[in-house]
Amino acid sequence: MTARGKRLTLILAALALLGGATALVLSAMRENLVFFHTPSEVAEGKAPVGRTFRIGGMVAEGSLERLPDGVTVRFAVTDTAKTIPVVYRGALPDLFSEGKGAVAQGQLGPDGVFVASEVLAKHDENYMPVEAQHAVDQAQRAAATLEP
């Protein structure tokens, strides 16, 4: 094999290795990517069923219910236009309460109930996740345009 042939083989092998490494990185990122959806998007069927994502908004007033087992909690997340029921098994953050912003990570069940594996709450009086605040603002604008 000539020197030129060896160089070409080396370059092709390096490109193949680089392509393989890129494919592995992109595959790992796709598996760990978690998207945010609003209650309105979930109600419209835009959220993936059977795949992990985040839902955020306000915890609906009067929706917080602790089940007799002492560990399971039911509540609803709303963006003022739509409300999605959530079930969570575990300890809630200290700042979690009705009427406050929250983000839950988990999966949407076939019955339309969001089964959360993690719940995040606001960290001060003025905090709401940017995505959740944007969703609430959009829902309020949409509701205002529908009213006569």
Side-chain angles (χ1 to χ4, degrees), residues 31-118:
E31 289 176 15
N32 294 323
L33 199 58
V34 178
F35 291 103
F36 178 88
H37 293 280
T38 65
S40 292
E41 291 173 343
V42 173
E44 293 169 4
K46 294 181 181 176
V49 176
R51 193 140 183 229
T52 300
F53 66 94
R54 287 183 177 176
I55 185 171
M58 305 297 287
V59 178
E61 293 287 342
S63 69
L64 185 59
E65 174 189 1
R66 296 185 188 279
L67 299 184
D69 67 3
V71 180
T72 306
V73 179
R74 288 186 182 168
F75 59 94
V77 175
T78 184
D79 60 4
T80 69
K82 300 289 183 180
T83 302
I84 301 296
V86 178
V87 174
Y88 175 66
R89 185 173 171 85
L92 289 171
D94 290 337
L95 298 173
F96 183 89
S97 65
E98 294 177 350
K100 303 294 182 184
V103 174
Q105 181 172 315
Q107 295 185 359
L108 186 63
D111 58 354
V113 175
F114 188 81
V115 180
S117 58
E118 181 180 10

